[in-house]
Every structure is written in structure tokens, then in C-alpha cells.
Amino acid sequence: MDMRAQKVLIVDDEPVNIVILESAVSSLANVISTSDSQEALQLVQIHKPDLIVLDISMPKRSGFDICRAVKADLGLREIPILFVTSFTDSENERKALALGAIDFIAKPIDIEICRMRVKNHLLMQRQKSQLSTYNERVLEEKEQLNITLNAIADGVIATDAEGLVTFINPVAQRLTGFNEFEACGRMVDDIMELRDATTNAEVINPALYTMKVKRPVAMAFNVKLVSKQGKECRVEDTASPILDTQGNVKGAVVVFQDVSESVAMAVQMTHVTNHDQLTGLPNRVLLHDRIVQCIHRTDTAQPSIALLLIDIDNFKYLNDALGHKVGDSIILSISKRLQQACGKSATLARVGGDEFACLLADVGSGLSADGVAMSCLQSAREPIHIDGRHHQLSLSIGISLFPQDASSAEEMMRHADTAMYRAKATGKDKFSFFSKDLQLAMRKRVEMEVKLRTALDNNSLALFFQPKYDLNLNKVVGAESLVRLIDDDGGIVSPDEFIPLSEETGLIHRLGKQVLVKSCEFIAKCVEANKPLKIAVNVSAQQIANPSFAKEVEEVIVSTGIDPKLLELEVTESALMADFDLTRNMLLALSSLGLTLALDDFGTGYSSLSYLRQFPLNVLKIDRSFVKDMDNEPQALDIVTAIVRLANCLNMILVAEGLETELQFHTLRQLGCEYGQGYYMCKPISENEFTTRFLNQTTIMT
Ligand code: C2E
Ligand code: MG
Ligand code: MG
């Protein structure tokens, strides 16, 4: 509240009256007084008093005259005038009121009455001026609000308690198609036609709804606004009731936005998140949804659902060798072929780089999972032509069935994956159904992998050694090192159970290195015991294919300080079937280190001896399958005889594997096979046993 002191101007030609009036008013306001009626108007202009106490009859200029002049001035006319008069006739009173005076004080002046009257008028004046300040402020705020509402990017519509529009901003005018004059005074749902974007059904207007429920509301999802001109846009909004202090609904405000663009974007986003960009096929996310839907719809008594997981064989190599562009083209053409092969009723999805999945909703009724799988395999066999080159591809497919094999979408995916893995492991270009046995085998495989990794991490693989004999002298001339995995319970796991696994998982490189180091350390130990034995170490095809293998071997030879002549590396025929030049160069590099190279399991591969001659091999090991059959199959004996002769011709050292009987021992010796190893002489034994049996004895064995 404005607590500025108020001012009262007293005009009376009789100084005694001024004194009386002043004494009555001075406690209420600042007093300015004059007895000169000529000066009065000037003082009014200077001081702009809150109240003028004016004598009527004065020489020079009458009170009426001054009053008239004040009321004629726009800036002063609001100042209330209180006449002091001895005239009590009604003529003068009428005249004074007509001129705009508010009240009279009668002479002789009663100080108390005078004070009360002045006090009341001052109070009224103060309230009046406060009111006008408030008014100004309200007007200003309203103006500000209008500017804001007109400027914001959202549509705003306000209504009264009946739902009649009282305000509509320009954005709302544009979206509804109604201008301010058309809109104001009409029902809000008349100018704001809202419908469900999908069903086109009318939707209750949020302004009316918010008043009904007396709380802010958000518009129903998926709503469109139809303009006066029939234009549609997707809108999203909120509405709030306008409540007075007692909580009575006075109206409502709706604020809404055109979300057409973001809806379009969202639709596109949904497509992107559910589809593979390259092929446009559903991706893993959408496939999962479809499987779940299918499972929900399927009555367990009904035909089942099949999930085919389809993987392109060797795709990684193609992609790495030929580049991603070619890789993408291959994926694209395979996806088209698969779409054809799977048929329209199937859902084909791309679930990984080179992995597709085909969901068949009701196998058994006409469709069969293996039939579709066969078509898929067939479709991929036709060569693909890209940039003038032909690519021959094949697929591996795993199939799982609901409800037979799996009870959930996740399980279906997992089991199809397991089955696919089986198809790959058994030769590729195949399909395979999931089975419990398969699951068990997979679980064992996983367990074995964990064991193997742990053993590698702990460097706890063990080596067994099987002595190699000179058959003529019946003396140990060397040994083959054979890796073993020691189980938690001390059981010994055969390499046949983990070497193929280590090759598939790439762990063979770490394994090979550890075996090589341990073998070389063992060589050093033998030398120290004054028994320099040649130790043969098995090397897998992947190790030979590793370009840095020769360097690694050299490092181990150097670090263990052994004579490379005491080291022999055994490679299998299949290891030599890869890239001829690379393999030959690798073997030359190894042989230049001074070690010996042996061809293991000879006879089980398909390579001819003339082909093998081109590799720097020193030793041939006849596979134990021939040795085993030699006793009772003349053909096997013939083969061994031929191998012995060929080895002699090629000047290669011959070692027979798997000698189990005395007969085999003698036959081989008679045939001219110089060396042999087998259970007949000695089984593979632990390092400790080998040490006590062969290193600590006094006979020289070389
Ligand atoms: P391989 O190199 O042909 O090894 C000879 C296998 O024949 C050994 O099996 C040995 O125990 C077995 N054997 C020896 N004498 C006889 C016999 O008189 N009768 C019979 N029936 N078998 C005999 P093991 O130790 O189970 O090794 C199996 C295969 O595992 C090896 O065949 C070799 O290919 C691979 N392997 C073993 N250790 C390693 C290794 O350190 N690295 C790599 N890459 N492969 C290894
Ligand atoms: Mg071997
Ligand atoms: Mg062998």
C-alpha cells in the first residue's frame, strides 16, 4: 500500500478559518493553505493535493470558480473538493454538487466533524488511487500474458466453465483453421475436432474432460486434429482446469502441439529398430516378438512352430578376403534366395552378420521344417556372380521345434543355434535338428572349453611321453610328447577330446606353444641326464598356417637353449593340404632351424608321395590303422610293404605307429621298418615315469 503522506489544500479568505481548518486536518495530512483565491489554482497545479477544502465566497475569485477550473483540467479533475460554507440554502448545494464537489463543511466549523469528513475523504481517495494502480498492473500483466500466449509455439485455447472459447492463440488458430473472431464464444469441441488417428472415432475434448475431472489431463494417445478446412495433423496435448480460490471450475486451458513430424519419425525409428538395414528383413528384435506371438497363438495340441537358424558357411573368410562390399552383396543375394525358399508364410529375419532365421508358424500341416531347410540349402548352392567372379556358397542350418524341444522363444533360438553348430561340425552344407543328446554334447563341450582355458591360464597341461624304439636294436631312440589335460579329480583327459575343440576355438595356438616349451624343457632335461633323446612334438594344421610360427619355434629353441637336432615336429597330411606355397615356405623355414619334420598318420590322407616330396620332410610315420590290420589283412600288409619301399626310395626315415603285438614287431622289422612305437613296447607315460624308467638307467639309447 502507498503510505506516502497525503496532501490537503485549504483555501479560505479568512485566516482564522484557515487556522481552525489546519488544526482539524494537520494530524491527517500535510497541509498547504492560502487565503488568496487568485493563488489557489496555481497551488493545486504545483502540489496536486489529495483533497481541496474550498471556501465558496471569496473576493477576487469564488470557490465555484476555482472548482470549475479544477474540473476543467484533465490532470486535476479527479481531485475531490470539499466546500466550506455558511450558506445552507439548497440552491448553493445543488450548484456545488453539479460542479463536481463531493461534500460540505458548514460554518461555524466543528473541528471534530471537519476532521472526520476530511479523514473519510482522504481514505476514499487513497483507496481510489490504489485501485487505479492495481488496475494498471492487471492491464499490464494481461498485456504481457497475451504477448506470451501469442508468441509460444504451442497452440493454446482457453474456455469458460461452459466450454465456450474465450481465448485462442495464433498457433491454435492455424491448427484449427478458425480465427479468433470465429472461435471465441463457440464450444471448444466445435472448433477443435479431435479423432483417433487409427479408428477415426471422435475423441472427447480435453478441455471439457479436465473440467469434469477437475484435474490436469493429457490427451489420449494417437489423436489427430481435423481443421476447419479438413486438414489433419497429429497432436499431443495437456489440459488443465482453471479453478478459483474456492476450487470452483471457472474454465479450462488446453495446450497442444503438432507432432506429425515426430510421429512420422517415430514410425521410421520403429522400422529401423526392428529391421535390418541391408536386407530390409526383420531383425533379431522383431523375430523374437514374432516367435513370442506365435507361441502365444499356438495351442500345444496343434502343429508346431519351427525355427531354422541359417548360417553361411565360411562367410567370415569371404568377407575378410574379398571386402565388405562383396560380403554385403553376398548377404543380399542369399537373403533373396532364402525368401524364395522359405515361402510367403514364413518370417525370414537377419539375426547376425551372416545369420538368418526362418520362423515357420505351423509345421506339420503341409509345411515341413526339413523340406524348407532342404530348399534353403539348395537355393544357396547355385553360384553367386559378383563383379565377374563366381562364389560357391553353402549353408548350415539348425532347427528347433516348439513345443517339442523348447518352451520359450529364447530356448528356441538357443536350441536352433546348438543344432546349427552340429550341422557345421559335421561337415557344413547340412541341416540338423536339435536333440537332447546334442544339447548334452554341447554342454560337455562348453565345460571342456572352460577346463581347457583354465589349464592354459594355469599352464597346467601335462605331457606324456611315448618312447620310440629302434626295432633292430630294441632300444629307445626318442619319444613323442602327447598332451594331457588333468581333471579336477586327477582323471586324465585324452587329447582327442580337446584338440579338435582347441582348433575350433583357436586355443590351439596357446596350447601348441605351451606343449612346445614343455617339450623343449624336457629335451634339456634329457641332455642334462646325459641321454640326448629326440623328442617329437605334434603340430596342428592351424599352427603351420600361422605365419609367425617358425619365429615362435625359433624363440623357444633359443630360450630353452636346446640343440634343434633333438626336436622333431609332427605334421599331418591334412596340414599340408592348405595353400601349397605358404605351407612349403613354412616347412622350409622350420627345417632351416635345424629341426626334423615328420609326416604323421601317413596313409590316412589323400596326398601322393610325389606331391609330398616337394616338402622338406625327413620322417614318415605309418598310421597305426595299417599296422593294426597288418596281422590279418593281406591288403594292409601290402600297403605297409609299399610304404616301406617308397620311404627307402625317398630316403626318408620310417616309423611305424601303434605296434601292439609281437607279430607286428617282427613283421615290421623284417620288412625293413627301422623304428616303431606302440603299446607292445611302451604306452605313453608321465614325465616322472619316463625319467625313472629311461633317463636314470645307464644304457645309452641313441
Ligand atoms: P598321434 O600323433 O598319432 O599320436 C599317437 C596316438 O596313438 C597317441 O594317442 C598314442 O597314445 C596312441 N598310441 C600309441 N601307441 C599305440 C598303440 O599301440 N595302440 C593304440 N591303439 N594307440 C597307440 P593320444 O596320446 O591319445 O593322441 C591322440 C592324438 O592327439 C595324436 O595322435 C595327435 O594327433 C594328437 N595330439 C596329442 N598331443 C598333441 C599335441 O601336443 N599337439 C597337437 N596338435 N596334437 C596332439
Ligand atoms: Mg603324432
Ligand atoms: Mg600318429
Side-chain angles (χ1 to χ4, degrees), residues 374-438:
M374 233 118 66
S375 310
C376 291
L377 291 177
Q378 189 54 44
S379 78
R381 287 182 189 133
E382 191 74 19
I384 294 177
H385 310 281
I386 295 163
D387 299 337
R389 285 183 68 173
H390 294 194
H391 303 282
Q392 184 69 55
L393 296 171
S394 65
L395 307 172
S396 294
I397 303 176
I399 307 171
S400 74
L401 300 172
F402 175 90
Q404 293 91 323
D405 313 330
S407 56
S408 70
E410 290 76 13
E411 214 171 21
M412 279 195 100
M413 284 295 284
R414 223 170 39 240
H415 289 179
D417 194 69
T418 304
M420 194 271 286
Y421 190 82
R422 159 59 61 90
K424 274 214 190 295
T426 53
K428 301 175 177 167
D429 193 16
K430 280 195 172 83
F431 69 85
S432 170
F433 277 93
F434 174 81
S435 71
K436 289 276 180 262
D437 290 350
L438 182 52

Side-chain angles (χ1 to χ4, degrees), residues 466 480 483-484 495 515 538 600-601 624 657-658 660 678-679 684:
Q466 186 177 37
E480 179 177 2
V483 67
R484 299 287 184 267
V515 167
N538 292 285
D600 205 354
D601 303 346
R624 68 172 178 270
E657 283 187 308
E660 293 188 355
Y679 294 172

Side-chain angles (χ1 to χ4, degrees), residues 183-211:
C184 287
R186 277 176 79 164
M187 276 305 287
V188 65
D189 51 356
D190 255 9
I191 65 145
M192 207 183 166
E193 185 183 336
L194 295 172
R195 291 179 179 278
D196 185 284
T198 315
T199 64
N200 211 37
E202 261 190 75
V203 171
I204 180 171
N205 192 285
L208 304 178
Y209 187 62
T210 196
M211 292 195 280

Side-chain angles (χ1 to χ4, degrees), residues 480-482 536-539 570-572 599-601 621 657 677:
E480 179 177 2
S481 82
L482 296 158
V537 179
N538 292 285
V539 166
E570 294 189 5
V571 294
T572 57
L599 186 61
D600 205 354
D601 303 346
K621 294 188 80 175
E657 283 187 308
Q677 61 185 105

Side-chain angles (χ1 to χ4, degrees), residues 461-464 466-467 480-484 493-500 502-503 508 511-512 514-516 519 536-541 543 570 572 600-601 621-624 627-628 656-661 664 677-684:
L461 287 170
L463 290 190
F464 271 38
Q466 186 177 37
E480 179 177 2
S481 82
L482 296 158
V483 67
R484 299 287 184 267
V493 185
S494 140
D496 291 330
E497 286 187 51
F498 61 87
I499 291 288
S502 73
E503 286 173 337
I508 188 66
L511 182 145
Q514 290 186 10
V515 167
L516 185 66
S519 299
V537 179
N538 292 285
V539 166
S540 112
Q543 289 173 274
E570 294 189 5
T572 57
D600 205 354
D601 303 346
K621 294 188 80 175
I622 308 172
D623 191 65
R624 68 172 178 270
V627 175
K628 182 175 152 246
E657 283 187 308
L659 275 77
E660 293 188 355
T661 64
Q664 289 163 353
Q677 61 185 105
Y679 294 172
Y680 175 65
M681 290 86 85
C682 185
K683 284 197 169 186

Side-chain angles (χ1 to χ4, degrees), residues 333-358:
S333 67
I334 288 284
S335 85
K336 284 183 189 138
R337 291 181 187 189
L338 288 177
Q339 268 172 299
Q340 283 264 312
C342 294
K344 283 207 167 60
S345 60
T347 296
L348 182 69
R350 185 180 176 208
V351 294
D354 61 341
E355 259 183 21
F356 295 88
C358 170

Side-chain angles (χ1 to χ4, degrees), residues 11 37 52 76 126 222 238 241 243 256 263 315 323 326 428 489 503 527 545 554 647:
V11 187
S37 60
I52 304 170
L76 309 173
R126 169 160 273 159
N222 195 31
T238 50
L243 304 174
F256 57 104
V263 167
F315 180 77
V326 175
K428 301 175 177 167
D489 53 12
E503 286 173 337
V527 170
E554 186 180 7

